[in-house]
Amino acid sequence: MSTSTIKDFRNGVKPNWCPGCGDFSVQAAIQRGAANLNLSPEDLAVISGIGCSGRISGYIRSYGLHGIHGRALPIAQGVKMGNRDLTVVAAGGDGDGFAIGIGHTIHAMRRNMDITYIVMDNQIYGLTKGQTSPRSEDGFITSSTPEGSIEKALSPMEMAITSGASFVAQCFSADIKELTATIEAGIQHKGFSIINVYSPCVTYNKVNTYDWFKENLTKLSDIDGYDASNHEMAMNTLMKHNSLVTGIVYQEEKPSYQELVKGYAEQPLAHMNLDLQPELFRELVNEFI
Amino acid sequence: MLTYMILTVTVLKGADFMKTDLSWKVGGQQGEGIESTGEIFSKTLNRLGFYLYGYRHFSSRIKGGHTNNKIRVSTEKVQAVADNLDILLAFDQETIDLNYHELHEKGVIIADTKFKPVKPEDSKAELYPVPFTDIASDLGTSLMKNMVAIGATCAVMNLEVEDFSVVIEEIFNRKGGDMVQKNMKAIQEGYMYMQKSLGEKASTLYLAKAENTHKRMFLIGNDAIALGALTAGVRFMPAYPITPASDIMEYLIKKLPRVGGTVIQTEDEIAAVTMAIGSNYAGARSFTASSGPGLSLMMEAIGLSGMTETPLVVVDTQRGGPSTGLPTKQEQSDLMAMIYGNHGEIPKVVIAPSTADEAFYDTIEAFNIADEYQCPVILLTDLQLSLAKQTVETFDFDKVHIRRGKLITSDIEQTDEKDYFKRYEVTEDGVSPRVIPGVKGGIHHVTGVEHDEAGRPNETASNRKQQMDKRMRKLSNLTKRFPNPITVNVPTTKTDLLLIGFNATRGAIEEAVHRLREDGLNVNHLQIRLIHPFPAAAIKPYIDGADYVLVAESNATGQLANIIKMNVGHVNKIQSILKYDGDPFQPHHIYDAGKELLEHVYINN
Ligand SMILES: Cc1ncc(C[n+]2csc(CCOP(=O)(O)OP(=O)(O)O)c2C)c(N)n1
Ligand code: SF4
Ligand SMILES: [Mg+2]
């Protein structure tokens, strides 16, 4: 069996991100993680939203679809339904997943399809040049909130756990080792995995900077006896640290959507013979006579 | 062995007046069994070889509120709600009050004595009170009151009680016990009671025998679409419930697991359409179905399908708009939105079947076109077509062919390992080979941003023009390739009046045409089936040759008429008859409008 390397996932396209943007590391971590898992580039589908972050699918050598703002998750779920043998990774920004697409995010977590969702959370709208996001902190000044944001920031981790996600993790793009390992764990997890990655926007977010995160983040692996299978511990820890933690926050073994659908073919729908059996056609027609 | 006795009186068979076309309506409170009464009645008559057309009047309430089911029975094909009514079965006074005006002087109202029915003063029809509930209660349960009502109908129409036994057995056998016998007895008793009441007047509404009794299907347009989708190879349907589209997903929820597929009820229509796009991109055949409000939400994603050249089929079952509008009523007002609704310019196909059998075959064709041209296809219906239950010839499996166009599903030899597959290769016909995820040698990028041949974002002017031209050129031969873009009923070269419609107006127009011809007028008919791209070349000669053109459509602004004017010209001779009160066209609406138009013209000349 051939082994894949990170080079197999590189396509030579130069990203149009600002130098220093956190998204570079997310791209690298996906590429390295995929290689570590020995995936073939053609068996990986990266489905991304719209935003600076959404460009990521164009920078990874694999199948990929860069769709419309906020809809990476339903497209990704459709891809998985169409071909359950593919490794499907959805990716996008905090605006993509927690503003315009938040309905899909919550329902995707409830549904628990076997896909991985990576949010590049820079707590701002990068592509549209620096407006507030649902992840912006109270008082955060942006072009759309010149007096400071007066809406409460959303807490993705708590929301994910209460929405039924079976793998909930948070990372920091500068900690590429933990990020890569977490992406690998997320892909290997049977069910929906959400990984919220603090991925600093060096151009528009002058508050939540690399230094700010280094100062404020706590690694769960540094907390003695932290048990990601313990629901209560996960919620308490998030509250205690104001959600500023990294690592796998919560993980639960349960059947994925794919495993629960009654009658769903083992074979990918994309490779099935589409012709209806004539006997079945006759039977269905007769129901209307 | 059944033990009830068949007491059908055969003496009265020799009626001198036999109806070949009869309209029957059952009405009462929603949730009261009106549906099953209509179902048993129509299923039986369909099997006897009659052609049926059933149209339900219902409201958005689940329980309570007036509902009725008007079913037309004919010895010949019918596809319109009849102008008037012969028999009204009433389970409450409201049914009488709301519907008696449709009855003609030979018509009858058969009403449950329980609610002490009153005949309105100006009613031309006769009222026959029959103790539906009392007879049923005496036999065991008042639930069988609708069987008594059916029995009473048998006496009026001279149907054999025995003819109902097969359908009754199918429904009640699984319920066990002596339910079959009890229900048959209820029909029998209703029959006898009514027979006595009618006395001398018995033979006025006798139904002629059906001539050609071979088996035909009886179904709603939505069922035809759902069965068409299944036959076309659909294995996955994401959808969000809405009237009048929900039957499509409900049918497939039951049937898809039999072929390894499934339905997902999504969180909204945006999720539904984007999941379908994702699944089609992956190589499956998927689609979604909704009505106007849902289609409005889907527009951005339909543009994504057009831009990324990902096949997509969306069914729009039009209902009364705008906003929540008239959610349970007939309208054809999404036409422009379906053609032009999305932002930007994409190749898109809009197909509008006008009967349930066309809906079946057009659904399959929609999937083939979506795959062959790699673009979105809207299958447009209206509430009347989606929900009216009609008799059609049994669908022909031999006519079903699945065509997937330039689809590549197995590994490709690669010259340069790192090269991207040219998914958007500029070709003569504009269609590029489409490879699905998982295929070795086929890696490429897909994006809604303008892109080059390998799918990489590219905003240069020359590339933009090349890719835009390539996409738009794809449909240049569609109007010629599409089977029967218009249904033509033009027997005469001289045309005083040409009637044009789309979707469910077909039956009403056909009947109006027939009557106008009986009046000695040269009246012809086109029903448009391919709405976009518009088959202008096929339509133009007929419009050129007509003195006047009357376009019948269920909307307030004459959308189809405007599309014809835009594509064919002849702005002055094209007139409209518009209906947007929520009810379907009946033949007389169109007949009257045609007559008036021509009389006006003759007077002016
Ligand atoms: C329907 C729609 N509305 C608005 C936009 C404009 N838009 C593009 S990206 C974006 C937000 C980007 O923020 P985020 O998702 O956080 O991504 P980032 O650029 O920060 O990575 C917006 C509002 C759009 N493309 N589509
Ligand atoms: S604007 Fe911000 S998010 Fe966008 S590329 Fe630049 S640094 Fe990254
Ligand atoms: Mg952002």
Side-chain angles (χ1 to χ4, degrees), chain B residues 143-197:
Chain B
L143 286 175
M144 296 190 301
K145 65 184 175 188
N146 51 354
M147 297 302 163
V148 180
I150 285 177
T153 297
C154 285
V156 181
M157 295 170 66
N158 194 30
L159 298 169
E160 309 267 352
V161 169
E162 170 66 2
D163 286 336
F164 285 84
S165 64
V166 182
V167 173
I168 295 292
E169 274 174 49
E170 278 172 17
I171 296 171
F172 293 101
N173 249 348
R174 46 192 141 92
K175 303 203 171 153
D178 50 0
M179 287 307 285
V180 173
Q181 285 156 42
K182 278 192 171 155
N183 278 283
M184 284 307 296
K185 186 93 171 83
I187 298 180
Q188 184 63 50
E189 301 252 323
Y191 177 91
M192 292 193 302
Y193 192 99
M194 190 66 198
Q195 189 76 273
K196 244 189 259 147
S197 304

Side-chain angles (χ1 to χ4, degrees), chain A residues 16-23 52-53 122 124 126-127 200-204:
Chain A
N16 63 358
W17 292 319
C18 310
C21 174
D23 296 351
C52 294
S53 46
N122 52 16
I124 197 148
L127 190 73
C201 170
V202 293
T203 306
Y204 296 111

Side-chain angles (χ1 to χ4, degrees), chain A residues 94-95 120 122 124-126:
Chain A
D94 46 317
M120 282 154 270
N122 52 16
I124 197 148
Y125 283 14

Side-chain angles (χ1 to χ4, degrees), chain B residues 311-523:
Chain B
L312 174 69
V313 173
V314 179
V315 180
D316 176 25
T317 59
Q318 298 172 95
R319 66 185 207 182
S323 188
T324 307
L326 296 171
T328 63
K329 305 279 181 172
Q330 162 70 353
E331 203 163 276
Q332 303 178 316
S333 53
D334 296 352
L335 194 59
M336 288 292 189
M338 289 311 104
I339 301 172
Y340 302 112
N342 50 277
H343 67 278
E345 295 160 306
I346 55 166
K348 190 204 271 173
V349 179
V350 182
I351 305 172
S354 54
T355 60
D357 47 336
E358 284 187 2
F360 172 77
Y361 296 110
D362 285 356
T363 301
I364 297 165
E365 191 59 19
F367 284 98
N368 288 338
I369 289 173
D371 258 336
E372 285 182 322
Y373 293 89
Q374 301 175 9
C375 72
V377 179
I378 309 284
L379 187 80
L380 187 68
T381 74
D382 51 25
L383 182 136
Q384 188 184 352
L385 171 58
S386 274
L387 298 186
K389 210 161 178 176
Q390 52 184 277
T391 302
V392 294
E393 295 305 325
T394 300
F395 300 153
D396 185 355
F397 195 54
D398 292 337
K399 282 199 210 157
V400 176
H401 304 286
I402 293 178
R403 311 188 308 267
R404 302 213 66 188
K406 299 182 187 178
L407 183 70
I408 301 169
T409 56
S410 44
D411 294 347
I412 308 163
E413 284 284 338
Q414 238 176 337
T415 38
D416 182 349
E417 269 274 293
K418 289 278 145 179
D419 250 10
Y420 264 27
F421 178 84
K422 284 194 179 176
R423 167 69 185 92
Y424 301 104
E425 188 181 342
V426 176
T427 58
E428 208 179 301
D429 62 5
V431 183
S432 324
R434 179 166 81 97
V435 59
I436 61 172
V439 170
K440 279 200 169 50
I443 286 183
H444 62 275
H445 188 235
V446 171
T447 174
V449 174
E450 188 58 275
H451 42 264
D452 66 14
E453 288 186 297
R456 285 178 292 247
N458 184 323
E459 297 186 348
T460 62
S462 60
N463 177 77
R464 160 66 170 187
K465 189 163 184 312
Q466 212 176 30
Q467 286 292 323
M468 194 70 181
D469 290 345
K470 163 196 137 53
R471 286 190 295 270
M472 298 315 288
R473 148 166 104 235
K474 289 196 287 189
L475 293 176
S476 54
N477 69 352
L478 186 77
T479 51
K480 287 195 209 89
R481 270 199 59 197
F482 189 84
N484 309 314
I486 45 174
T487 306
V488 182
N489 178 357
V490 180
T492 59
T493 37
K494 161 131 181 47
T495 308
D496 301 327
L497 179 66
L498 176 65
L499 283 161
I500 303 183
F502 74 106
N503 277 153
T505 52
R506 164 111 157 236
I509 297 178
E510 275 172 359
E511 286 183 44
V513 166
H514 186 74
R515 285 185 220 169
L516 288 163
R517 281 179 189 160
E518 280 179 347
D519 291 350
L521 298 163
N522 295 311
V523 178

